[in-house]
Amino acid sequence: MEGINLEKAIFAGGCFWCMVKPFDTQPGIEKVVSGYTGGTVANPTYEQVASHTTGHTEAVEITYDPSVISYAQLVESYWRQTDPTDAMGQFQDRGDSYRPVIFVSNEAERQIAEASKAKLAASGRFDKPIVTQIEDAQPFYPAEAEHQDFYKKNAWRYAIEEQGGREQFIHEKWQ
């Protein structure tokens, strides 16, 4: 891997368990880490974030090779994993820690994300406003080991989570 310039992208789209697999399976993705960002406590625990008192959002940090997959392609893939019209969570997961957010690290990422959001809003695909936020990236804290690669380690539980509406929504809106 020497000589490859890897970059990182951070997306929040509900339960981080359900946000790993769609990115993990794409070419150019080095790794996808479940974690927390945007809150007021350093190195929060799952229990702290789940209490909705720290201000953190469950998110995924994607390490990728921009010579294989672009940031713009990641953003397009992100839209297809979420309900961008639901600001109060995603599917069965409700509350601030599950809100949809694209966390940008620089002005170029912001421009790509804003343009993509505007294009989606103008597409007519959704009959409600696109409310996904685009915010400056904050420190990202990896979640505990049991939350990493959840879809691989807990396939049965992951399947139950997917039945919470995400899979059906994606099928109806994106396929």
Side-chain angles (χ1 to χ4, degrees), residues 14 52 56-57 87-90 92-100:
H52 302 281
H56 287 91
T57 302
M88 293 313 300
Q90 291 289 285
Q92 78 273 23
D93 300 311
R94 310 312 303 159
D96 281 355
S97 63
Y98 299 116
R99 66 195 181 95

Side-chain angles (χ1 to χ4, degrees), residues 98-115:
Y98 299 116
R99 66 195 181 95
V101 185
I102 297 173
F103 290 97
V104 296
S105 297
N106 55 51
E107 190 55 34
E109 286 183 0
R110 181 174 294 283
Q111 288 177 2
I112 290 167
E114 294 283 3

Side-chain angles (χ1 to χ4, degrees), residues 69-145:
I69 189 168
S70 69
Y71 184 77
Q73 288 171 304
L74 290 174
V75 171
E76 289 304 311
S77 183
Y78 167 79
W79 293 124
R80 288 167 169 74
Q81 312 313 317
T82 66
D83 177 353
T85 68
D86 186 353
M88 293 313 300
Q90 291 289 285
F91 312 105
Q92 78 273 23
D93 300 311
R94 310 312 303 159
D96 281 355
S97 63
Y98 299 116
R99 66 195 181 95
V101 185
I102 297 173
F103 290 97
V104 296
S105 297
N106 55 51
E107 190 55 34
E109 286 183 0
R110 181 174 294 283
Q111 288 177 2
I112 290 167
E114 294 283 3
S116 179
K117 181 178 177 178
K119 181 181 169 190
L120 181 60
S123 74
R125 183 178 295 270
F126 296 96
D127 53 6
K128 294 188 273 187
I130 305 302
V131 296
T132 299
Q133 296 298 303
I134 298 170
E135 299 178 4
D136 290 337
Q138 303 294 320
F140 180 87
Y141 302 101
E144 298 82 346

